[in-house]
Amino acid sequence: MTGTVPASFTADDYEARMERAARQAAEAGLAGLLVAPGPDLVWLTGYTPTAVTERLTLLVLAAGRDPVLVVPTLEAPDAARAPGAPALTLRDWTDGKDPYAATAALLDANGRFGISDNTWAMHLLGLHRTLPGTSYASLTEALPMLRAVKDAAELELLAAAGAAADAAFEEIRQVAFAGRRESDVAADLAALLRRFGHSQVDFTIVASGPNGANPHHEVGDRVIERGDMVVLDFGGLKDGYGSDTSRTVHVGEPTDEERRVHDLVREAQEAGFRAVRPGAACQEVDRAARAVIADAGYGEYFIHRTGHGIGVTTHEPPYMIEGEEQPLVPGMCFSVEPGIYLPGRFGVRIEDIVTVTEDGGRRLNNTARELVIVD
């Protein structure tokens, strides 16, 4: 996670987020929220420590109480400059003192708290040792929708990140593929994402030929050949918000079967997109895309969920998967990315980020979904 904080967010924005989080925690029966450095802390306060170390940094939120950020004394000046700092109280602790005792004074000794997923185990255990009557639930478990509904400024940043990823695809489709290693094309993609404004590149999957049958193929030294299908899946963070898109290209002319499979995935992706509407359950998006592929006899080759949320991270709730009954709400953003993966042969995936609107959905990726021929 980078320390970049979009200028579009003010102290008032962060104050509103912290108040909302504390209120949602109380509604969920929690005594409060404890948030360590990571995406939740950035979203709530705009603060990213210069370096995350063994020293405890923890935001304490509880309904009816002022937010408090517990920080090491040597990092307090940086924390005070965070855009959300005016909306909270800083409580610093010095080396040699017990940070858990300092934090315990802010907590209900017998409360159940939501705690950010990436909190170090040593800190959680230290708190529990100091307050053995407390209990904890991960934020993903306790408040999975905390960051799921984006405001207008967040949607604008996500749209800009999507447009930057689209621009990278338009450039990469012009480069030579045949005779080059997957790692060469992946390096090109990473450079393009940075050229178009990404400060962080999270992944650049280039899966050629049989490697395309592995949805999370690690880029390697395989030389791309004429006749290969190539799955491209790439994204990262631009101005603090994520991009993630997939397109499948073909080196030279495809076979009839390759075209048929690609067209089927495109149809499934369209069906998933058209299932997006307020009030629909997340699983309905998965069902719509999966039905197209299953009805064509390829159901066993669609081996992952249809989508995941995106925001200040590239993977977060909500998830488009069977069993997820969370209703879609305007402002939610997530991927719609069905695929077919034929072991030992090739794979196809098409992915757009979609946001829920008042009457349906809007794509944040708009490059061609038809099969693109590359050299």
Side-chain angles (χ1 to χ4, degrees):
M1 190 75 192
T2 69
T4 302
V5 177
S8 41
F9 301 131
T10 67
D12 289 343
D13 294 321
Y14 291 112
E15 181 176 20
R17 290 178 184 179
M18 286 188 280
E19 287 178 352
R20 188 173 92 195
R23 183 176 65 253
Q24 289 184 9
E27 291 169 352
L30 299 171
L33 300 181
L34 307 176
V35 184
D40 292 309
L41 187 64
V42 171
W43 185 77
L44 288 162
T45 69
Y47 176 53
T48 301
T50 303
V52 179
T53 70
E54 74 284 355
R55 293 185 174 95
L56 178 71
T57 295
L58 201 67
L59 175 68
V60 180
L61 298 177
R65 300 183 189 177
D66 291 338
V68 178
L69 182 62
V70 178
V71 293
T73 299
L74 75 169
E75 294 174 10
D78 286 342
R81 288 191 288 270
L88 52 79
T89 298
L90 290 178
R91 179 168 296 189
D92 65 315
W93 61 276
T94 57
D95 285 351
K97 302 295 184 181
D98 184 352
Y100 308 115
T103 306
L106 305 170
L107 306 181
D108 178 346
N110 296 297
R112 181 169 177 77
F113 294 88
I115 190 163
S116 53
D117 296 10
N118 54 335
T119 304
W120 286 17
M122 64 178 286
H123 296 321
L124 178 58
L125 294 170
L127 287 171
H128 193 256
R129 184 173 60 248
T130 305
L131 293 175
T134 54
S135 60
Y136 304 89
S138 74
L139 280 189
T140 293
E141 172 192 337
L143 295 178
M145 296 297 112
L146 179 62
R147 304 194 319 254
V149 179
K150 275 63 178 180
D151 62 25
E154 290 182 292
L155 290 174
E156 185 177 335
L157 289 164
L158 282 161
D166 284 357
F169 175 72
E170 294 294 359
E171 292 277 339
I172 202 69
R173 61 183 288 183
Q174 307 301 326
V175 308
F177 278 69
R180 301 179 70 212
R181 295 174 300 178
E182 291 175 342
S183 55
D184 295 329
V185 178
D188 289 344
L189 264 176
L192 286 167
L193 286 171
R194 292 190 177 94
R195 192 216 299 177
F196 290 112
H198 281 64
S199 59
Q200 178 174 314
V201 176
D202 286 349
F203 48 89
T204 51
I205 294 173
V206 179
S208 63
N211 289 341
N214 176 0
H216 280 176
H217 169 65
E218 290 288 335
V219 167
D221 289 332
R222 182 183 186 275
V223 176
I224 301 170
E225 302 173 358
R226 294 196 66 80
D228 279 347
M229 278 281 206
V230 185
V231 178
L232 304 173
D233 184 349
F234 50 97
L237 298 181
K238 180 182 185 296
D239 295 326
Y241 279 75
S243 69
D244 185 2
T245 188
S246 301
R247 294 292 186 263
T248 302
V249 302
H250 196 277
V251 186
E253 285 300 315
T255 65
D256 290 344
E257 182 191 20
E258 288 170 331
R259 282 196 181 276
R260 184 169 65 252
V261 170
H262 190 279
D263 287 346
L264 183 60
V265 173
R266 182 159 58 94
E267 181 183 346
Q269 207 268 347
E270 178 67 19
F273 170 69
R274 291 192 179 281
V276 175
R277 63 187 184 282
C282 291
Q283 66 182 4
E284 292 183 39
V285 178
D286 182 82
R287 287 174 177 176
R290 198 168 299 277
V292 173
I293 291 173
D295 289 349
Y298 288 89
E300 67 182 292
Y301 304 112
F302 181 9
I303 57 177
H304 56 72
R305 65 196 174 202
T306 293
H308 58 82
I310 191 168
V312 292
T313 59
T314 49
H315 280 221
E316 62 185 45
Y319 298 102
M320 306 302 112
I321 190 170
E322 181 66 32
E324 179 52 79
E325 298 180 349
Q326 168 68 42
L328 298 180
V329 176
M332 284 182 173
C333 290
F334 48 84
S335 65
V336 178
E337 50 176 309
I340 292 175
Y341 308 93
L342 303 178
R345 301 182 62 205
F346 65 90
V348 176
R349 182 165 63 258
I350 301 172
E351 174 186 13
D352 294 325
I353 298 302
V354 173
T355 183
V356 185
T357 64
E358 294 297 331
D359 57 1
R362 175 170 67 96
R363 285 183 164 105
L364 301 187
N365 295 107
N366 295 288
T367 55
R369 293 169 199 91
E370 295 77 19
L371 183 57
V372 169
I373 308 302
V374 297
D375 293 328

